[in-house]
Amino acid sequence: MRIPLTAQKLTVVVDLSRGTIKLAGAETAGEAVRFHGVTRIPVDSSEALEPDVRDGRIALAIADRVHERGWEGYPAACLLSGTETSTQSFLFPPMGDDELRSAISLKLAQRLHFDVGQAYFDFRRVGRDQKNPEQDLVLVVAARKQATHRALAILRRAGLKPVAVGAASESLANLTYYASLCGEDEASVHIDIGGDSTILNLFEGRLLRFSREVDVAGKSFTEALMRPIITPGGPVTLDAGQAEEVKLAAGYPSEDQRVALPHGVDSTQILPLLEPVAQRLTAEIRRSMDYLRSILKRREVDRIVLSGSGARMRGLAEVLEENLETRVELIDPVARATDHWRLAICGEQPSSTSGFSATLGFSLGNH
């Protein structure tokens, strides 16, 4: 599932993983990673559309951008996530690749949330386990065969030459490594809150131990504000655009402060709609923290790191820190990666707040 980005050879990275498609051309030269054609492509994800029709529209939208850039026939990699992939680490005694592949297949049969017989998987040894130095820690990325074939078909229909499939979760873990966000001896949960979904990566030191994705994300807060808002003048119902405007203006409001907001509502009136979403997100993070503590046999998780477009909601980090009683840091991993590794991210700038973190992480991980 991995491909080296050849120096001076552009590879088109297409992120199909989380709602809106992200597309960019990436090439490397020395310590520089250069991006071209950084583009977001809205997708009609209507359940009413037949899969072939929906995929045809996605391929056509990508093909338009590919044609504009003159990228027909270029090598391309795609990123998947959600229920289509699994990223987790396992401990094995030292063994050869063929024997290890068989052992991983048996382990996945017990731990994978889909049939291992209907999955492709790749692995890499990431080091010896700190507590069990005689054991190899192996990172395993699996993807449903059906989802993989679908993604490759979309790239071909768009005029590209598919060469690799990756997982958004592993790509975000690459970015975490390059941003030097993990302490050697700490247990941490790194949370990328996108518009459509949230990826939670669980780390032991700098090693990714497990990843999961949940559907509580930035869009969840917007949709909550589209429910009737009770005001003294009667219920107010906002459309999607108005709800997003109110969310950006209010952030996650404080209980003891009344702030006037657009469309005749105030902060105290929207808080009851936002609280259940924050509670759901808190519960999902707590589940991940509990799992990390259990596999590491630790009493505490040292910190939580937030990134992504949805994490920029003002006041959200503070609410999560209070709810989880754990230090929460809001960080831009793209900026940190360039600072810590002296990487030159050139051309059109992908950012962690525009949903391109996984695209950048994939490119860095294959640098």
Side-chain angles (χ1 to χ4, degrees):
M1 292 186 183
R2 299 168 63 80
I3 173 177
L5 299 186
T6 306
Q8 302 297 338
K9 180 65 173 179
L10 184 142
T11 298
V12 182
V13 183
V14 183
D15 185 352
L16 299 173
S17 64
R18 304 162 74 186
T20 301
I21 294 170
K22 278 76 68 177
L23 180 146
E27 61 182 343
T28 64
E31 294 302 313
V33 180
R34 183 178 295 275
F35 288 90
H36 308 267
V38 175
T39 306
R40 293 170 62 89
I41 305 175
V43 176
D44 182 357
S45 57
S46 171
E47 295 289 341
L49 291 176
E50 291 292 329
D52 286 347
V53 174
R54 183 171 59 250
D55 289 354
R57 292 185 180 182
I58 292 172
L60 183 60
I62 296 173
D64 287 343
R65 306 311 195 278
V66 168
H67 180 71
E68 289 172 5
R69 292 282 172 171
W71 289 346
E72 288 94 341
Y74 273 58
C78 61
L79 300 180
L80 303 175
S81 70
T83 58
E84 298 167 340
T85 66
S86 168
T87 303
Q88 50 191 313
S89 295
F90 301 112
L91 290 174
F92 294 101
M95 61 183 76
D97 284 354
D98 291 342
E99 188 179 1
L100 179 57
R101 180 169 287 276
S102 297
I104 290 171
S105 183
L106 292 173
K107 183 72 74 172
L108 289 177
Q110 303 169 356
R111 298 281 295 275
L112 204 58
H113 59 274
F114 46 88
D115 184 0
V116 67
Q118 298 300 315
Y120 295 117
F121 70 86
D122 197 4
F123 65 90
R124 59 187 170 97
R125 296 173 177 86
V126 295
R128 292 294 176 94
D129 184 63
Q130 295 178 358
K131 296 184 177 61
N132 302 283
E134 74 285 355
Q135 300 274 300
D136 284 335
L137 188 63
V138 180
L139 180 67
V140 180
V141 180
R144 292 180 189 268
K145 288 183 178 179
Q146 183 178 14
T148 303
H149 295 161
R150 168 183 169 260
L152 297 179
I154 287 173
L155 296 189
R156 292 190 186 99
R157 292 170 72 176
L160 296 167
K161 179 184 177 181
V163 292
V165 175
S169 53
E170 185 189 15
S171 297
L172 289 170
N174 291 336
L175 185 56
T176 296
Y177 171 77
Y178 272 87
S180 297
L181 295 179
C182 298
E184 288 289 350
D185 299 318
E186 74 174 10
S188 58
V189 179
H190 293 248
I191 304 167
D192 189 87
I193 305 178
D196 296 278
S197 67
T198 294
I199 292 177
L200 301 99
N201 281 341
L202 283 56
F203 283 87
E204 177 187 16
R206 295 182 179 180
L207 301 177
L208 177 65
R209 297 299 303 263
F210 190 76
S211 180
R212 57 190 296 260
E213 185 168 352
V214 298
D215 61 3
V216 189
K219 186 171 67 175
S220 306
F221 290 99
T222 303
E223 291 175 344
L225 293 175
M226 294 171 65
R227 300 188 181 98
I229 300 172
I230 306 304
T231 73
V236 173
T237 302
L238 306 177
D239 61 27
Q242 293 169 334
E244 185 69 17
E245 182 183 358
V246 168
K247 183 181 77 172
L248 292 175
Y252 195 93
S254 170
E255 294 180 355
D256 55 4
Q257 188 175 13
R258 181 187 296 269
V259 178
L261 300 170
H263 308 293
V265 301
D266 68 44
S267 57
T268 62
Q269 295 157 0
I270 67 169
L271 186 57
L273 299 179
L274 297 176
E275 282 179 331
V277 183
Q279 290 168 0
R280 284 172 54 206
L281 182 57
T282 297
E284 294 291 356
I285 298 171
R286 185 173 285 118
R287 284 181 60 195
S288 296
M289 294 172 67
D290 290 344
Y291 180 71
L292 184 59
R293 281 192 290 259
S294 70
I295 61 174
L296 300 185
K297 296 179 174 56
R298 295 176 63 132
R299 294 184 59 187
E300 300 296 338
V301 170
D302 296 296
R303 66 173 176 148
I304 296 167
V305 176
L306 291 185
S307 63
S309 57
R312 300 288 158 175
M313 182 178 180
R314 191 173 64 255
L316 180 59
E318 290 78 6
V319 168
L320 293 176
E321 184 171 87
E322 180 181 352
N323 290 349
L324 296 164
E325 299 180 328
T326 303
R327 179 164 54 106
V328 175
E329 298 180 41
L330 181 61
I331 290 177
D332 181 351
V334 175
R336 287 284 295 268
T338 56
D339 290 343
H340 282 260
W341 287 82
R342 294 180 295 172
L343 289 167
I345 300 176
C346 309
E348 301 172 41
Q349 295 290 308
S351 73
S352 61
T353 58
S354 61
F356 281 88
S357 292
T359 305
L360 177 59
F362 180 86
S363 303
L364 292 177
N366 292 280
H367 186 277

